[in-house]
Amino acid sequence: ATLCDSTLRKRSTTSAMMKSVAVALALLEGAEAFSPAGLKAAVPSRAGVARMSYESELGVIPPTGFFDPLGLSKNIDEETFAQYRTAELKHGRVAQLCVIGYVVPEFYRFPGIIAPGVPFADIPNGVAAINAIPALGWFQMVFLIGAVDYWGVLGDFDAGKPDLAPEELEKRKLQELQHGRLAMLAVLELLRHDSQNLVSPGFDGLDKLITGLPFLYN
């Protein structure tokens, strides 16, 4: 029985690992999100325009400068470039929400239930939640995300469009790009550390998930 239990635990851990890797690959599929050679979301679509260079676009800053190792910005028109920038912004915003979703549950849980008989407080944080969330919980999340992305059910947020001087607006746009890029890198590291800890509990000698923010647990 002990051998059987051990085998089941290993299979469960492997399954969770595979799912976490899938999440990471989903984030990475927007590889253009890491390229400062992205396009301005405000650039109007112009199909069929001449190919051009984007080395002076918003997001090309020191120390990396123009960083496009995959050559995503080569031989593309402004319309395609604008699509890449929109994808970069969206991936960055999702990654920022993901980081918040990793950190906040370490010290606060919403009251209520995610499914009948399953309180939010009983769902473990991080990768371990993948197997703990019931089917009804997954359905709620997938439906809400799809509704927001496809139908825009939450509407257009005027709070995100402050009336700023052109110079300040350009600065804010750059900050949003940089915050999103940093969040995407942070999510990948959170997934790596969390997945490794799931396979080898306590491998880092620490008993908390967010080891870089010890004040969360005070």
Side-chain angles (χ1 to χ4, degrees):
T2 303
L3 180 58
C4 182
D5 290 344
S6 176
T7 301
L8 289 174
R9 282 197 297 270
K10 287 181 179 179
R11 288 179 178 175
S12 177
T13 299
T14 301
S15 175
M17 275 287 292
M18 292 176 67
K19 290 177 181 177
S20 66
V21 170
V23 172
L25 290 175
L27 290 171
L28 282 173
E29 93 177 336
E32 67 274 7
F34 293 100
S35 170
L39 345 123
K40 295 182 180 178
V43 174
S45 294
R46 280 182 257 171
V49 298
R51 304 296 194 254
M52 57 184 295
S53 173
Y54 302 96
E55 297 184 10
S56 60
E57 284 292 320
L58 185 71
V60 181
I61 60 174
T64 55
F66 182 73
F67 183 74
D68 185 16
L70 299 181
L72 297 175
S73 64
K74 291 182 179 179
N75 301 318
I76 60 173
D77 56 31
E78 287 186 74
E79 182 178 13
T80 303
F81 208 44
Q83 292 173 351
Y84 286 173
R85 172 49 56 86
T86 299
E88 179 178 18
L89 285 170
K90 183 178 290 188
H91 282 91
R93 291 166 179 171
V94 170
Q96 290 176 77
L97 289 173
C98 185
V99 171
I100 293 174
Y102 245 111
V103 174
V104 172
E106 287 294 290
F107 61 87
Y108 176 78
R109 295 300 181 95
F110 285 107
I113 61 174
I114 191 171
V118 185
F120 289 123
D122 288 353
I123 303 296
N125 194 16
V127 177
I130 293 175
N131 288 331
I133 297 175
L136 180 59
W138 282 112
F139 174 79
Q140 293 175 70
M141 289 186 286
V142 172
F143 180 80
L144 177 61
I145 292 171
V148 171
D149 191 58
Y150 188 78
W151 292 298
V153 294
L154 296 182
D156 198 358
F157 295 96
D158 290 331
K161 304 174 185 177
D163 185 15
L164 302 171
E167 297 79 8
E168 182 64 20
L169 180 60
E170 196 80 354
K171 178 182 176 181
R172 297 284 185 90
K173 287 181 177 180
L174 177 59
Q175 289 173 340
E176 180 178 22
L177 280 174
Q178 292 300 91
H179 291 162
R181 291 165 180 170
L182 179 61
M184 285 185 276
L185 291 172
V187 166
L188 292 176
E189 172 53 23
L190 283 168
L191 286 170
R192 182 212 62 80
H193 181 272
D194 191 12
S195 299
Q196 187 172 351
N197 196 57
L198 191 66
V199 175
S200 303
F203 79 96
D204 55 2
L206 301 171
D207 60 351
K208 302 297 183 182
L209 177 60
I210 311 297
T211 57
L213 303 174
F215 61 85
L216 292 176
Y217 307 99
N218 294 335

